[in-house]
Amino acid sequence: MLQLAVILPTYRERANIAPMVARLDAALQGVVWEAIFVDDNSPDGTADEARRISLTDPRVRVIERIGRRGLASAAIEGMCATAAPIVAVMDADQQHDPELLPKMLAAVEGGEYDLAYASRFAEGASTEEWGRPDRVKASGLANRIANKVTGVELSDPMSGYFMLRTETLRADAHRLSGVGFKILLDILATVDRPLKVKEFPLNFVARIEGESKLDQTVVFEFLVGLYDKWLGRIIPTRFALFGTVGAMGVAVQLGALWVLLKVIAGERFVYGNWSESATFNTANTLAAIIAMTFNFVLNNELTYSDKRLRGFGPLLRGWAQFGLTCSLGLLTNVGSAAVLKTIGFHSVVAVIVGIVLGSVWNFALSSRFVWGKY
Ligand SMILES: Nc1nc2c(ncn2[C@@H]2O[C@H](COP(=O)(O)OP(=O)(O)O)[C@@H](O)[C@H]2O)c(=O)[nH]1
Ligand SMILES: [Mg+2]
């Protein structure tokens, strides 16, 4: 009977697939296992390579996701795609030693522990062969913050190598955020009942083939993960990100408006008491355009980092499209503010209501027309 599924999220790991399967086979002698590669349509043909192996070794399965990116969501989908009672997640790049799998399996299968994981920072673990003291430092800091925020006390809650009973995962899968890379932390912080955790020291080695995908995004994704932990259940993540950027845009618009009014109205300027509505509307329109440009740049870098527009041409086109699709939002934004001001609302209230109404339009339209697959 099937005992264990090993989930291996991949992005551009073609050269690591065959060696990884061979190492799993060697490490898991005597265990009935399957391996599920969850590939995000890697351009190097990682999924093809895994399918090639699967033809002669049906223990190897492939999930290919189109138009999607993300380590955590890949891990979750992989874990939900098996009938095996116990499931493990590990990197496919051979930085995680498969020799630990049988020991983890013994700990979880016996029922003594709910979850086993490999720690890069436990007693007896090592990151020396990784050769990345910068990442070791960053991980250490992230771990300390994660401990404080979630109350999860492990030496390495950011580890990507763990094993648990599949039913534990399935019970809470719908509540996991699936954002970023910190899937273990997500699971530990999400389950209601505390899990009994067994820690295994890991010798985290350098990559043999390919390159790291998390180097650039690791800090940002961590922050998104924390944000998501706090607010993710109330506001969907992409919209939360868009909203966060939008909130910064609010500050930018108010700041720009303040500067513009000071320039235009000069001596007569008193914040919150703009007597001439023509001056106010002109300045507010300009301020909204400045905020829109700011939002475009940040959304492109952060909110839609998985669909980021690159190069001068696409960026300019994207900005124009963003401006175009947001022009409705901009009209809503400035128009509603003007109306509210006319009927006697305080200027700041008028501006903020305008911004909120405008943002909803902007999200609805831009996620489809600027970064979507229109
Ligand atoms: N499916 C999927 N896998 C990913 C993604 N990003 C990284 N991975 C895989 O996650 C594992 C860890 O990523 P890696 O870049 O090695 O991170 P690092 O070891 O922390 O530098 C590797 O197997 C990657 O191929 C992604 O967006 N989607
Ligand atoms: Mg790696």
Side-chain angles (χ1 to χ4, degrees), residues 9-11 13 38 40 69-70 92-93 95 135 207 212-213:
T10 56
Y11 191 73
E13 303 287 1
V38 187
D40 287 351
R69 275 300 300 276
D93 58 6
Q95 290 189 281
R135 288 281 303 268
R207 260 181 181 269
S212 169
K213 265 66 77 183

Side-chain angles (χ1 to χ4, degrees), residues 284-306:
N284 197 22
T285 306
L286 275 173
I289 291 172
I290 291 168
M292 184 212 85
T293 305
F294 171 86
N295 283 7
F296 170 73
V297 172
L298 243 66
N299 277 323
N300 192 48
E301 290 300 314
L302 306 178
T303 314
Y304 297 97
S305 61
D306 53 341

Side-chain angles (χ1 to χ4, degrees), residues 13-232:
E13 303 287 1
R14 187 186 179 95
N16 284 313
I17 303 301
M20 197 65 222
V21 173
R23 289 183 63 183
L24 286 174
D25 184 53
L28 290 169
Q29 292 295 325
V31 175
V32 184
W33 59 274
E34 67 176 354
I36 304 179
F37 289 95
V38 187
D39 185 63
D40 287 351
N41 196 21
S42 301
D44 70 348
T46 301
D48 288 334
E49 171 69 359
R51 276 189 291 262
R52 183 186 66 78
I53 296 167
S54 177
L55 280 175
T56 52
D57 186 347
R59 295 175 303 182
V60 175
R61 293 172 51 199
V62 186
I63 295 175
E64 187 173 7
R65 308 195 304 169
I66 311 291
R68 310 259 308 274
R69 275 300 300 276
L71 181 47
S73 65
I76 293 170
E77 284 181 37
M79 287 189 281
C80 290
T82 184
I86 295 180
V87 67
V89 173
M90 68 190 295
D91 289 1
D93 58 6
Q94 305 189 62
Q95 290 189 281
H96 291 155
D97 185 1
E99 293 293 334
L100 279 181
L101 286 170
K103 295 177 202 158
M104 291 166 122
L105 184 63
V108 176
E109 208 170 33
E112 198 183 339
Y113 294 96
D114 299 309
L115 187 146
Y117 88 105
S119 165
R120 295 165 295 177
F121 305 111
E123 275 293 314
S126 146
T127 50
E128 233 141 78
E129 286 176 46
W130 190 6
R132 291 295 304 271
D134 54 329
R135 288 281 303 268
V136 172
K137 265 216 178 96
S139 295
L141 179 66
N143 283 346
R144 279 195 297 281
I145 298 174
N147 285 353
K148 281 244 154 57
V149 172
T150 63
V152 171
E153 282 186 27
L154 301 181
S155 65
D156 190 7
M158 316 299 276
S159 169
Y161 188 8
F162 58 91
M163 185 186 292
L164 75 169
R165 261 183 298 283
T166 319
E167 60 182 21
T168 312
L169 184 277
R170 264 198 296 267
D172 276 305
H174 61 286
R175 288 167 60 201
L176 297 175
S177 70
V179 175
F181 61 92
K182 34 87 233 180
I183 170 73
L184 174 60
L185 180 63
D186 198 0
I187 292 173
L188 291 168
T190 300
V191 293
D192 295 324
R193 169 179 68 88
L195 299 178
K196 266 180 290 160
V197 177
K198 170 86 175 161
E199 195 163 83
F200 289 89
L202 173 69
N203 176 21
F204 195 67
V205 297
R207 260 181 181 269
I208 303 167
E209 300 284 347
E211 58 193 54
S212 169
K213 265 66 77 183
L214 299 185
D215 276 352
Q216 283 83 37
T217 55
V218 82
V219 174
F220 169 67
E221 296 233 329
F222 176 68
L223 293 176
V224 171
L226 282 187
Y227 179 89
D228 192 76
K229 192 67 223 145
W230 282 326
L231 291 176

